[in-house]
Amino acid sequence: MQRRELAGRASALLGLLAGGLGGSVKAIETMRQYAPDIDNAQVRWIALLSAALLGALAGATTGCGIGAALGERIDTHVWPRYRCLQCGGTFTA
């Protein structure tokens, strides 16, 4: 008998991607809103890049956690949870 965790893995991945993208976009918007008067192009580029990276990390962490929790609930209550190693059939214990 082997545990199946398909929804948990898939939703964690989707949450990671969506959270990372959303976090980076929001961080860039916030940086542009609150620091529009940076005159030096190199400093502005570094600020945009660091805002995007930190926003992506924060968003991806949050999105992955929420997606994994949602997927675990789907695995537990909706889909068959175990797979037989001999016959390959799926079932709920």
Side-chain angles (χ1 to χ4, degrees):
M1 178 170 46
Q2 179 183 24
R3 283 185 63 172
R4 296 176 49 174
E5 298 171 346
L6 298 176
R9 290 178 186 161
S11 58
L13 177 64
L14 289 175
L16 178 105
L17 295 174
L21 182 63
S24 65
V25 168
K26 185 64 179 171
I28 289 173
E29 287 176 1
T30 303
M31 193 292 241
R32 285 186 176 172
Q33 180 182 2
Y34 289 110
D37 54 352
I38 297 175
D39 294 329
N40 190 343
Q42 291 177 342
V43 174
R44 175 171 275 206
W45 174 249
I46 291 171
L48 279 172
L49 184 62
S50 62
L53 288 175
L54 290 174
L57 284 173
T61 302
T62 304
C64 184
I66 291 171
L70 176 65
E72 183 180 348
R73 286 190 173 249
I74 291 172
D75 279 332
T76 301
H77 298 293
V78 178
W79 288 349
R81 196 159 179 175
Y82 296 99
R83 183 175 65 90
C84 178
L85 295 176
Q86 292 176 349
C87 69
T90 57
F91 59 93
T92 301

Coordinates of all heavy atoms in Angstrom, one line a residue:
M1 N 0.8 -1.2 0.0 CA 0.0 0.0 0.0 C 0.9 1.2 0.0 O 1.8 1.4 0.7 CB -0.9 0.0 1.2 CG -1.8 1.1 1.4 SD -3.0 1.0 2.7 CE -2.2 0.3 4.1
Q2 N 0.6 2.2 -0.9 CA 1.3 3.4 -1.0 C 0.4 4.6 -1.0 O -0.7 4.6 -1.6 CB 2.1 3.4 -2.3 CG 2.9 4.6 -2.6 CD 3.5 4.5 -4.0 OE1 3.1 3.8 -4.9 NE2 4.6 5.3 -4.1
R3 N 0.8 5.6 -0.2 CA -0.1 6.8 -0.2 C 0.0 7.6 -1.4 O 1.1 7.8 -2.0 CB 0.4 7.7 1.0 CG -0.1 7.2 2.3 CD 0.2 8.2 3.4 NE -0.5 9.4 3.2 CZ -0.5 10.4 4.0 NH1 0.1 10.3 5.1 NH2 -1.2 11.5 3.8
R4 N -1.1 8.1 -1.9 CA -1.1 9.0 -3.0 C -1.3 10.4 -2.6 O -2.2 10.7 -1.8 CB -2.2 8.6 -4.0 CG -2.1 7.2 -4.6 CD -3.2 6.9 -5.4 NE -3.5 8.0 -6.3 CZ -4.5 7.9 -7.2 NH1 -5.2 6.9 -7.4 NH2 -4.7 9.0 -8.0
E5 N -0.5 11.3 -3.1 CA -0.7 12.7 -2.7 C -0.7 13.6 -3.9 O 0.1 14.6 -4.0 CB 0.5 13.1 -1.7 CG 0.4 12.3 -0.4 CD 1.6 12.5 0.4 OE1 2.6 13.1 -0.1 OE2 1.6 12.1 1.6
L6 N -1.5 13.3 -4.9 CA -1.5 14.0 -6.2 C -2.0 15.4 -6.0 O -1.3 16.3 -6.5 CB -2.3 13.2 -7.2 CG -1.8 11.8 -7.5 CD1 -2.8 11.1 -8.5 CD2 -0.5 11.9 -8.1
A7 N -3.1 15.6 -5.4 CA -3.6 17.0 -5.2 C -2.7 17.8 -4.4 O -2.6 19.0 -4.7 CB -5.0 16.9 -4.6
G8 N -2.1 17.3 -3.4 CA -1.3 18.1 -2.5 C -0.1 18.6 -3.3 O 0.3 19.8 -3.1
R9 N 0.5 17.7 -4.1 CA 1.7 18.2 -4.8 C 1.3 19.1 -5.9 O 2.0 20.1 -6.1 CB 2.4 16.9 -5.4 CG 3.0 16.1 -4.4 CD 3.6 14.8 -5.0 NE 4.2 13.9 -4.0 CZ 4.4 12.7 -4.2 NH1 4.2 12.2 -5.4 NH2 4.9 12.0 -3.2
A10 N 0.3 18.8 -6.6 CA -0.1 19.7 -7.8 C -0.6 21.1 -7.3 O -0.2 22.1 -7.8 CB -1.3 19.1 -8.5
S11 N -1.4 21.1 -6.2 CA -1.8 22.4 -5.7 C -0.7 23.2 -5.0 O -0.7 24.4 -5.1 CB -3.0 22.3 -4.8 OG -2.7 21.5 -3.7
A12 N 0.3 22.5 -4.4 CA 1.4 23.2 -3.9 C 2.2 23.9 -5.0 O 2.7 25.0 -4.8 CB 2.3 22.3 -3.1
L13 N 2.4 23.2 -6.1 CA 3.2 23.7 -7.2 C 2.4 24.9 -7.8 O 3.0 25.9 -8.1 CB 3.4 22.6 -8.3 CG 4.1 23.1 -9.6 CD1 5.5 23.6 -9.2 CD2 4.1 22.0 -10.6
L14 N 1.1 24.8 -8.0 CA 0.3 25.9 -8.6 C 0.4 27.1 -7.6 O 0.5 28.2 -8.1 CB -1.1 25.5 -8.8 CG -1.3 24.5 -10.0 CD1 -2.7 24.1 -10.1 CD2 -0.9 25.2 -11.3
G15 N 0.2 26.8 -6.3 CA 0.3 27.9 -5.3 C 1.7 28.6 -5.3 O 1.8 29.8 -5.2
L16 N 2.7 27.8 -5.5 CA 4.1 28.3 -5.5 C 4.3 29.3 -6.7 O 4.8 30.4 -6.6 CB 5.1 27.2 -5.6 CG 6.5 27.6 -5.7 CD1 7.2 27.4 -4.4 CD2 7.2 26.8 -6.8
L17 N 3.8 28.8 -7.9 CA 3.9 29.6 -9.1 C 3.1 30.9 -9.0 O 3.6 32.0 -9.3 CB 3.6 28.8 -10.3 CG 4.5 27.6 -10.6 CD1 4.0 26.8 -11.8 CD2 5.9 28.1 -10.9
A18 N 1.8 30.7 -8.7 CA 0.9 31.9 -8.6 C 1.4 32.9 -7.5 O 1.3 34.1 -7.7 CB -0.5 31.4 -8.4
G19 N 1.7 32.4 -6.4 CA 2.2 33.2 -5.3 C 3.5 34.0 -5.6 O 3.6 35.1 -5.3
G20 N 4.4 33.3 -6.3 CA 5.7 33.9 -6.7 C 5.4 35.0 -7.7 O 6.0 36.1 -7.6
L21 N 4.6 34.7 -8.7 CA 4.3 35.7 -9.7 C 3.6 36.9 -9.1 O 3.9 38.1 -9.3 CB 3.5 35.1 -10.8 CG 3.2 36.0 -12.0 CD1 4.4 36.5 -12.7 CD2 2.3 35.3 -13.0
G22 N 2.5 36.6 -8.3 CA 1.8 37.7 -7.7 C 2.6 38.5 -6.7 O 2.5 39.8 -6.7
G23 N 3.4 37.9 -6.0 CA 4.3 38.6 -5.0 C 5.3 39.5 -5.7 O 5.5 40.6 -5.2
S24 N 5.9 39.0 -6.7 CA 6.9 39.9 -7.4 C 6.2 41.1 -8.1 O 6.8 42.2 -8.1 CB 7.7 39.0 -8.4 OG 6.8 38.6 -9.5
V25 N 5.1 40.8 -8.7 CA 4.4 42.0 -9.4 C 3.9 43.0 -8.4 O 4.1 44.2 -8.6 CB 3.1 41.4 -10.2 CG1 2.2 42.6 -10.6 CG2 3.6 40.6 -11.4
K26 N 3.4 42.6 -7.2 CA 3.0 43.5 -6.2 C 4.2 44.2 -5.6 O 4.1 45.4 -5.3 CB 2.2 42.7 -5.1 CG 1.6 43.6 -4.1 CD 0.6 44.5 -4.7 CE -0.1 45.4 -3.6 NZ -0.9 46.4 -4.2
A27 N 5.3 43.6 -5.4 CA 6.5 44.2 -4.9 C 7.0 45.3 -5.8 O 7.4 46.3 -5.4 CB 7.5 43.2 -4.5
I28 N 7.0 45.0 -7.1 CA 7.5 45.9 -8.1 C 6.5 47.2 -8.1 O 7.0 48.3 -8.2 CB 7.6 45.3 -9.5 CG1 8.8 44.3 -9.5 CG2 7.8 46.3 -10.6 CD1 8.9 43.5 -10.7
E29 N 5.2 46.9 -8.1 CA 4.3 48.0 -8.1 C 4.5 48.9 -6.9 O 4.5 50.1 -6.9 CB 2.8 47.5 -8.1 CG 2.4 46.9 -9.4 CD 1.0 46.3 -9.2 OE1 0.4 46.4 -8.2 OE2 0.5 45.8 -10.2
T30 N 4.7 48.3 -5.7 CA 4.9 49.0 -4.5 C 6.2 49.8 -4.5 O 6.2 51.0 -4.1 CB 4.9 48.1 -3.3 OG1 3.6 47.4 -3.3 CG2 5.0 48.8 -2.0
M31 N 7.2 49.2 -5.1 CA 8.5 49.9 -5.1 C 8.4 51.1 -6.1 O 8.9 52.2 -5.8 CB 9.5 48.9 -5.7 CG 11.0 49.4 -5.5 SD 11.3 50.8 -6.5 CE 12.5 50.4 -7.6
R32 N 7.7 50.9 -7.2 CA 7.5 52.1 -8.1 C 6.7 53.2 -7.5 O 6.9 54.3 -7.8 CB 6.9 51.6 -9.4 CG 7.9 50.8 -10.3 CD 7.3 50.5 -11.6 NE 8.3 49.9 -12.4 CZ 8.1 49.3 -13.6 NH1 6.9 49.4 -14.1 NH2 9.0 48.8 -14.3
Q33 N 5.7 52.8 -6.7 CA 4.8 53.8 -6.1 C 5.5 54.6 -5.0 O 5.4 55.8 -4.9 CB 3.6 53.1 -5.5 CG 2.6 54.0 -4.8 CD 1.5 53.3 -4.2 OE1 1.4 52.1 -4.2 NE2 0.5 54.0 -3.6
Y34 N 6.3 53.9 -4.2 CA 6.9 54.6 -3.0 C 8.4 55.1 -3.3 O 8.9 55.8 -2.4 CB 6.9 53.7 -1.8 CG 5.5 53.5 -1.3 CD1 4.9 52.3 -1.4 CD2 4.8 54.6 -0.7 CE1 3.6 52.2 -0.9 CE2 3.6 54.4 -0.2 CZ 2.9 53.2 -0.3 OH 1.6 53.1 0.1
A35 N 9.0 54.7 -4.4 CA 10.3 55.2 -4.6 C 10.4 55.6 -6.1 O 11.3 55.1 -6.8 CB 11.3 54.1 -4.3
P36 N 9.6 56.6 -6.6 CA 9.7 56.9 -8.0 C 10.8 57.9 -8.3 O 11.1 58.0 -9.5 CB 8.3 57.6 -8.2 CG 8.0 58.2 -6.9 CD 8.6 57.3 -5.9
D37 N 11.4 58.5 -7.3 CA 12.4 59.6 -7.6 C 13.8 59.1 -7.5 O 14.7 59.9 -7.2 CB 12.1 60.7 -6.7 CG 12.1 60.3 -5.2 OD1 12.1 59.1 -4.9 OD2 12.1 61.3 -4.4
I38 N 14.1 57.8 -7.8 CA 15.5 57.4 -7.8 C 16.1 57.8 -9.2 O 15.6 57.3 -10.2 CB 15.5 55.8 -7.6 CG1 15.0 55.4 -6.2 CG2 17.0 55.3 -7.8 CD1 14.9 53.9 -6.0
D39 N 17.1 58.6 -9.1 CA 17.6 59.2 -10.4 C 18.7 58.3 -11.0 O 18.8 58.2 -12.2 CB 18.2 60.5 -10.1 CG 17.2 61.5 -9.7 OD1 16.0 61.4 -10.2 OD2 17.5 62.5 -8.9
N40 N 19.4 57.6 -10.2 CA 20.5 56.7 -10.7 C 19.9 55.4 -11.3 O 19.1 54.7 -10.7 CB 21.4 56.4 -9.6 CG 22.7 55.7 -10.1 OD1 22.7 55.2 -11.2 ND2 23.7 55.7 -9.2
A41 N 20.2 55.2 -12.6 CA 19.6 54.0 -13.3 C 20.1 52.7 -12.7 O 19.3 51.7 -12.6 CB 20.0 54.1 -14.7
Q42 N 21.3 52.6 -12.2 CA 21.8 51.4 -11.6 C 21.1 51.1 -10.3 O 20.8 49.9 -10.0 CB 23.3 51.4 -11.5 CG 24.1 51.4 -12.8 CD 25.6 51.6 -12.6 OE1 26.0 52.0 -11.5 NE2 26.3 51.2 -13.6
V43 N 21.0 52.1 -9.5 CA 20.3 51.9 -8.2 C 18.8 51.5 -8.4 O 18.3 50.7 -7.7 CB 20.4 53.2 -7.4 CG1 19.6 53.1 -6.1 CG2 21.9 53.5 -7.0
R44 N 18.2 52.2 -9.4 CA 16.8 51.8 -9.7 C 16.7 50.4 -10.2 O 15.8 49.6 -9.8 CB 16.2 52.8 -10.8 CG 14.8 52.4 -11.2 CD 14.3 53.4 -12.1 NE 13.7 54.4 -11.1 CZ 12.7 55.1 -11.4 NH1 12.2 55.1 -12.6 NH2 12.2 56.0 -10.5
W45 N 17.6 49.9 -11.0 CA 17.6 48.6 -11.5 C 17.8 47.6 -10.3 O 17.1 46.6 -10.2 CB 18.6 48.4 -12.6 CG 18.8 47.0 -13.0 CD1 19.9 46.2 -12.8 CD2 17.9 46.2 -13.8 NE1 19.7 44.9 -13.3 CE2 18.4 44.9 -13.9 CE3 16.6 46.4 -14.3 CZ2 17.8 43.9 -14.6 CZ3 16.0 45.4 -15.0 CH2 16.6 44.2 -15.1
I46 N 18.7 47.9 -9.5 CA 19.0 47.0 -8.3 C 17.8 47.0 -7.4 O 17.4 45.9 -6.9 CB 20.2 47.4 -7.6 CG1 21.5 47.2 -8.4 CG2 20.4 46.7 -6.2 CD1 22.8 47.7 -7.9
A47 N 17.1 48.1 -7.2 CA 16.0 48.2 -6.3 C 14.8 47.4 -6.9 O 14.1 46.6 -6.2 CB 15.5 49.6 -6.1
L48 N 14.6 47.5 -8.2 CA 13.5 46.7 -8.9 C 13.8 45.2 -8.8 O 12.9 44.4 -8.5 CB 13.4 47.1 -10.3 CG 12.6 48.4 -10.6 CD1 12.7 48.8 -12.1 CD2 11.1 48.2 -10.2
L49 N 15.0 44.8 -9.0 CA 15.4 43.4 -9.0 C 15.2 42.8 -7.6 O 14.7 41.8 -7.4 CB 16.8 43.2 -9.5 CG 17.3 41.8 -9.6 CD1 16.5 41.0 -10.6 CD2 18.8 41.8 -10.1
S50 N 15.7 43.6 -6.6 CA 15.6 43.1 -5.3 C 14.2 43.0 -4.8 O 13.7 42.1 -4.1 CB 16.5 43.9 -4.3 OG 16.0 45.2 -4.3
A51 N 13.3 44.0 -5.2 CA 11.9 44.0 -4.8 C 11.2 42.8 -5.5 O 10.4 42.1 -4.8 CB 11.3 45.3 -5.3
A52 N 11.6 42.5 -6.7 CA 10.9 41.4 -7.4 C 11.3 40.1 -6.8 O 10.5 39.2 -6.6 CB 11.3 41.4 -8.9
L53 N 12.6 39.9 -6.4 CA 13.1 38.7 -5.8 C 12.5 38.4 -4.5 O 12.0 37.3 -4.1 CB 14.6 38.6 -5.8 CG 15.3 38.5 -7.1 CD1 16.8 38.6 -6.9 CD2 15.0 37.1 -7.7
L54 N 12.5 39.5 -3.6 CA 11.9 39.3 -2.3 C 10.4 39.1 -2.3 O 9.9 38.3 -1.6 CB 12.3 40.5 -1.4 CG 13.8 40.6 -1.1 CD1 14.0 41.9 -0.3 CD2 14.2 39.5 -0.2
G55 N 9.8 39.8 -3.2 CA 8.3 39.6 -3.4 C 8.0 38.2 -3.9 O 7.0 37.6 -3.4
A56 N 8.8 37.7 -4.8 CA 8.6 36.4 -5.3 C 8.8 35.3 -4.2 O 8.0 34.3 -4.1 CB 9.5 36.1 -6.5
L57 N 9.8 35.5 -3.4 CA 10.1 34.5 -2.4 C 9.0 34.5 -1.3 O 8.5 33.5 -0.9 CB 11.4 34.9 -1.7 CG 12.7 34.5 -2.4 CD1 13.9 35.0 -1.7 CD2 12.8 33.0 -2.6
A58 N 8.5 35.7 -0.9 CA 7.5 35.8 0.1 C 6.1 35.2 -0.5 O 5.4 34.4 0.2 CB 7.3 37.2 0.5
G59 N 5.8 35.6 -1.7 CA 4.6 35.1 -2.3 C 4.6 33.6 -2.6 O 3.6 32.9 -2.4
A60 N 5.8 33.1 -3.1 CA 5.9 31.7 -3.3 C 5.8 30.8 -2.1 O 5.2 29.8 -2.0 CB 7.2 31.4 -4.0
T61 N 6.4 31.3 -1.0 CA 6.3 30.6 0.3 C 4.9 30.5 0.8 O 4.4 29.5 1.2 CB 7.2 31.3 1.3 OG1 8.5 31.4 0.9 CG2 7.1 30.6 2.7
T62 N 4.2 31.6 0.7 CA 2.8 31.7 1.2 C 1.9 30.8 0.3 O 1.1 30.1 0.7 CB 2.3 33.1 1.2 OG1 3.2 33.9 2.0 CG2 0.9 33.2 1.7
G63 N 2.1 31.0 -1.0 CA 1.2 30.3 -2.0 C 1.4 28.8 -1.9 O 0.5 28.0 -2.0
C64 N 2.7 28.3 -1.7 CA 3.0 26.9 -1.6 C 2.3 26.3 -0.4 O 1.7 25.2 -0.4 CB 4.5 26.7 -1.6 SG 4.9 24.9 -1.6
G65 N 2.4 27.0 0.7 CA 1.8 26.5 2.0 C 0.3 26.4 1.9 O -0.3 25.4 2.3
I66 N -0.3 27.4 1.3 CA -1.8 27.4 1.2 C -2.2 26.3 0.2 O -3.2 25.6 0.4 CB -2.3 28.8 0.7 CG1 -2.1 29.8 1.9 CG2 -3.8 28.8 0.3 CD1 -2.4 31.2 1.5
G67 N -1.5 26.2 -0.9 CA -1.8 25.2 -1.9 C -1.6 23.8 -1.4 O -2.5 22.9 -1.6
A68 N -0.6 23.6 -0.6 CA -0.4 22.2 0.0 C -1.5 21.9 1.0 O -2.0 20.7 1.0 CB 1.0 22.2 0.7
A69 N -1.9 22.9 1.8 CA -3.0 22.6 2.7 C -4.3 22.3 2.0 O -5.0 21.4 2.4 CB -3.2 23.8 3.7
L70 N -4.6 23.0 1.0 CA -5.8 22.8 0.2 C -5.7 21.4 -0.5 O -6.7 20.6 -0.5 CB -6.0 23.9 -0.9 CG -7.2 23.7 -1.8 CD1 -8.5 23.7 -1.1 CD2 -7.1 24.7 -2.9
G71 N -4.6 21.1 -1.1 CA -4.4 19.8 -1.7 C -4.5 18.6 -0.7 O -5.0 17.5 -1.1
E72 N -4.0 18.8 0.5 CA -4.1 17.7 1.5 C -5.6 17.5 1.8 O -6.0 16.3 2.0 CB -3.4 18.1 2.7 CG -3.3 17.1 3.8 CD -2.6 17.5 5.0 OE1 -1.8 18.5 5.0 OE2 -2.7 16.8 6.0
R73 N -6.4 18.5 1.9 CA -7.8 18.3 2.2 C -8.5 17.6 1.0 O -9.3 16.8 1.2 CB -8.5 19.7 2.4 CG -8.2 20.2 3.8 CD -9.0 21.4 4.1 NE -8.8 21.8 5.4 CZ -9.7 21.7 6.4 NH1 -10.9 21.2 6.1 NH2 -9.4 22.1 7.6
I74 N -8.1 17.9 -0.2 CA -8.7 17.3 -1.4 C -8.3 15.8 -1.4 O -9.1 14.9 -1.6 CB -8.3 18.0 -2.7 CG1 -8.9 19.3 -2.8 CG2 -8.6 17.1 -3.9 CD1 -8.4 20.2 -3.9
D75 N -7.0 15.5 -1.1 CA -6.5 14.1 -1.0 C -7.2 13.4 0.1 O -7.5 12.2 -0.1 CB -5.0 14.1 -0.7 CG -4.2 14.3 -2.0 OD1 -4.7 14.0 -3.1 OD2 -3.1 14.8 -1.9
T76 N -7.5 14.0 1.2 CA -8.1 13.3 2.3 C -9.6 13.0 2.1 O -10.1 11.9 2.4 CB -7.9 14.1 3.6 OG1 -6.5 14.3 3.8 CG2 -8.5 13.4 4.8
H77 N -10.3 14.0 1.6 CA -11.8 13.9 1.5 C -12.4 13.6 0.2 O -13.5 13.2 0.1 CB -12.4 15.2 2.1 CG -12.0 15.5 3.5 ND1 -12.4 14.7 4.5 CD2 -11.2 16.4 4.0 CE1 -11.9 15.2 5.7 NE2 -11.2 16.2 5.4
V78 N -11.7 13.8 -0.9 CA -12.3 13.7 -2.2 C -11.7 12.5 -3.0 O -12.5 11.6 -3.5 CB -12.1 15.0 -3.0 CG1 -12.7 14.8 -4.4 CG2 -12.7 16.1 -2.3
W79 N -10.4 12.4 -3.2 CA -9.9 11.4 -4.0 C -9.4 10.1 -3.3 O -9.2 10.2 -2.1 CB -8.6 11.9 -4.8 CG -9.0 12.9 -5.8 CD1 -10.2 13.2 -6.3 CD2 -8.1 13.8 -6.5 NE1 -10.2 14.1 -7.3 CE2 -8.9 14.5 -7.4 CE3 -6.8 14.0 -6.5 CZ2 -8.3 15.4 -8.3 CZ3 -6.2 14.9 -7.3 CH2 -7.0 15.6 -8.2
P80 N -9.3 9.0 -3.9 CA -8.8 7.8 -3.2 C -7.4 8.1 -2.7 O -6.6 8.7 -3.4 CB -8.8 6.7 -4.3 CG -9.8 7.2 -5.4 CD -9.7 8.7 -5.3
R81 N -7.2 7.6 -1.5 CA -5.9 8.0 -0.8 C -4.8 7.0 -1.0 O -3.6 7.4 -0.9 CB -6.3 8.2 0.6 CG -5.2 8.9 1.3 CD -5.7 9.5 2.6 NE -4.6 10.2 3.1 CZ -4.6 10.9 4.2 NH1 -5.7 11.1 4.8 NH2 -3.5 11.5 4.6
Y82 N -5.0 5.8 -1.2 CA -4.0 4.8 -1.3 C -4.0 4.0 -2.6 O -5.0 3.9 -3.3 CB -4.1 3.8 -0.1 CG -4.0 4.4 1.2 CD1 -5.1 4.8 2.0 CD2 -2.8 4.7 1.8 CE1 -5.0 5.4 3.2 CE2 -2.6 5.3 3.0 CZ -3.7 5.6 3.7 OH -3.6 6.2 4.9
R83 N -2.8 3.5 -3.0 CA -2.7 2.6 -4.2 C -2.1 1.3 -3.8 O -1.1 1.3 -3.0 CB -1.8 3.3 -5.2 CG -1.7 2.5 -6.5 CD -0.9 3.3 -7.5 NE 0.4 3.5 -7.1 CZ 1.4 2.7 -7.4 NH1 1.2 1.6 -8.1 NH2 2.7 2.9 -7.0
C84 N -2.7 0.2 -4.2 CA -2.2 -1.1 -3.9 C -0.9 -1.4 -4.8 O -0.9 -1.1 -6.0 CB -3.2 -2.2 -4.2 SG -2.7 -3.9 -4.0
L85 N 0.1 -1.9 -4.2 CA 1.4 -2.1 -4.9 C 1.3 -3.4 -5.8 O 2.1 -3.5 -6.7 CB 2.5 -2.2 -4.0 CG 2.9 -0.9 -3.2 CD1 4.0 -1.1 -2.2 CD2 3.3 0.2 -4.2
Q86 N 0.4 -4.3 -5.4 CA 0.3 -5.5 -6.2 C -0.6 -5.4 -7.4 O -0.2 -5.8 -8.5 CB -0.2 -6.6 -5.3 CG 0.8 -7.0 -4.2 CD 0.2 -8.1 -3.3 OE1 -1.0 -8.4 -3.3 NE2 1.1 -8.6 -2.5
C87 N -1.8 -4.8 -7.2 CA -2.7 -4.8 -8.4 C -2.8 -3.4 -9.0 O -3.3 -3.2 -10.1 CB -4.1 -5.2 -7.9 SG -4.9 -4.1 -6.8
G88 N -2.4 -2.4 -8.3 CA -2.4 -1.0 -8.8 C -3.7 -0.3 -8.6 O -3.9 0.8 -9.0
G89 N -4.7 -0.9 -7.9 CA -6.0 -0.3 -7.6 C -5.9 0.8 -6.6 O -5.0 0.8 -5.7
T90 N -6.8 1.7 -6.7 CA -6.8 2.8 -5.7 C -8.0 2.6 -4.8 O -9.0 2.2 -5.2 CB -6.8 4.2 -6.4 OG1 -8.0 4.2 -7.2 CG2 -5.6 4.4 -7.2
F91 N -7.9 3.1 -3.5 CA -8.9 2.9 -2.6 C -8.7 3.9 -1.4 O -7.7 4.5 -1.2 CB -9.0 1.5 -2.0 CG -7.7 1.0 -1.3 CD1 -7.6 1.2 0.0 CD2 -6.7 0.5 -2.1 CE1 -6.4 0.8 0.7 CE2 -5.5 0.1 -1.4 CZ -5.4 0.2 -0.1
T92 N -9.8 4.0 -0.6 CA -9.8 4.9 0.6 C -9.8 3.9 1.8 O -10.7 3.0 1.8 CB -11.0 5.8 0.6 OG1 -10.9 6.6 -0.6 CG2 -10.9 6.7 1.8
A93 N -8.9 4.1 2.7 CA -8.9 3.2 3.9 C -9.9 3.6 4.9 O -10.4 4.6 5.0 CB -7.5 3.3 4.5

